Amino acid sequence: MARNRSASFDLSGTLGKYTFVRSKYGKFVRAARGTHKPALCNETLTAVFNRNEVLNKAAKLVHDPLRMYAATYKENGLWQRMLSAMRRSPTNDLSDLLKTQEGREAHEKYPVSKIMISPSVRASHSKGVMTLELQCDYPPVFELTVEPPQYQCEMFVVLIDEDWCHTGVETVSTGWINTAEPLRKFETSFEISPVARYFLVILKVEAGYNGVAEHRSIGKGFRIMTSGMIGGEHRKNRKTGVQKDRDKNRRKEKASTRNKASGKTQKRKPKAGPPALKSRKPKTGTKTKKRYR
């Protein structure tokens, strides 16, 4: 409640919707505490807000496996770099969002490119079986004081279903290899879950001494190599019944045009008439009448 401080009606406190303030900065009137003016969101801001929810869910599918297998190795700004790349995707389809993460290093200061020169991973799948092929034509080089005698490569295959949930992670290892030998070709295959619709392959390269991995960050690297859909792109663009009928008519028109050009004519079969009436055999001892067609 406002109070009168002098005969000149100098007020202080709250009177209705206004508050009279006396401070070292002077006297002024402001609105009461707790009032606000609702802000209206335009279409652009609403679209960006809705897309951020989709991008966060897609980035979590990639970030969680990296946090699990490269907990102490990945850098802190990885999440922001992943979101920045996904915002440049033209669509919100998960296959397109995963494509933006191909070649992503878990730590930019210790990338795989400093260890191996242009490693490549090819993935193929057929009838519930996925095949991975890892190849590098040059031996690895580690920036260590003592050159490690061994190295190994591991691939983590992250499987995702249609609801954007993890269905499992398959781990494939090449075993320990001599550092002087390049990884010419390593191929393996394994069965995958029937509900998996997307996959993501993460490559790990690490140095070792007598079968023991190097614990320092300079002796290892993580990179997202490839991703894609399981079952082909036809899952995204399935033909409807109208499109199938249209394609069928086009094939018939092409066949008729080809036959006319070659001089061949198709003989039309005569239209089948009504079925003929069959006469019944007369019973013995009864009179019968002739039935006409």
Side-chain angles (χ1 to χ4, degrees), residues 101-246:
Q101 302 304 313
E102 294 183 1
R104 173 77 57 199
E105 300 282 354
H107 203 300
E108 290 188 343
K109 190 176 180 181
Y110 307 107
V112 175
S113 58
K114 286 188 176 181
I115 302 175
M116 303 183 75
I117 301 176
S118 63
S120 62
V121 175
R122 295 181 181 179
S124 59
H125 38 79
S126 176
K127 297 181 180 180
V129 178
M130 176 170 285
T131 303
L132 291 180
E133 181 181 335
L134 175 61
Q135 184 177 359
C136 186
D137 298 333
Y138 303 94
V141 178
F142 295 93
E143 296 180 351
L144 296 171
T145 306
V146 179
E147 183 68 19
Q150 297 174 330
Y151 76 98
Q152 75 170 351
C153 298
E154 286 186 283
M155 289 181 288
F156 306 102
V157 184
V158 183
L159 302 176
I160 306 169
D161 61 4
E162 291 182 349
D163 298 331
W164 293 24
C165 297
H166 289 134
T167 61
V169 179
E170 298 289 340
T171 305
V172 181
S173 176
T174 61
W176 293 105
I177 308 172
N178 190 358
T179 309
E181 298 178 1
L183 186 62
R184 295 295 183 185
K185 185 178 181 181
F186 173 77
E187 186 175 349
T188 183
S189 59
F190 52 89
E191 295 183 358
I192 58 178
S193 174
V195 299
R197 292 295 175 264
Y198 306 92
F199 70 92
L200 182 76
V201 181
I202 302 173
L203 175 64
K204 174 187 177 182
V205 184
E206 61 181 351
Y209 301 90
N210 298 326
V212 180
E214 173 66 41
H215 65 279
R216 291 176 293 178
S217 299
I218 196 173
K220 62 181 66 176
F222 289 83
R223 178 195 285 183
I224 301 174
M225 298 300 297
T226 184
S227 64
M229 293 186 65
I230 297 175
E233 296 294 331
H234 65 275
R235 293 185 182 275
K236 297 169 58 177
N237 303 320
R238 290 182 177 178
K239 290 185 177 181
T240 60
V242 178
Q243 292 175 339
K244 290 180 180 179
D245 294 342
R246 190 184 301 121

Side-chain angles (χ1 to χ4, degrees), residues 25 40 82 140 152 213 262 268:
Y25 302 104
L40 299 178
M82 290 169 54
Q152 75 170 351
S262 60
R268 295 184 177 180

